[in-house]
Amino acid sequence: MEKSIITRVYVPTHVRRLPNGERVRVPGHYKAPPSRK
């Protein structure tokens, strides 16, 4: 039985609100998954 290992996570385009009320548009990109150790 083979277990799939996710090496990277895709983050879709989203808008991030900054504390000062400014909005930043973050394009879709890949990021390393949080390591659970």
Side-chain angles (χ1 to χ4, degrees), residues 3-22:
K3 188 175 183 181
S4 62
I5 300 175
I6 300 177
T7 54
R8 57 183 181 173
V9 179
Y10 179 72
V11 181
T13 304
H14 63 279
V15 178
R16 181 171 292 173
R17 279 295 285 277
L18 296 182
N20 59 5
E22 187 178 353

Side-chain angles (χ1 to χ4, degrees), residues 33-37:
S35 57
R36 300 233 178 171
K37 288 187 176 180

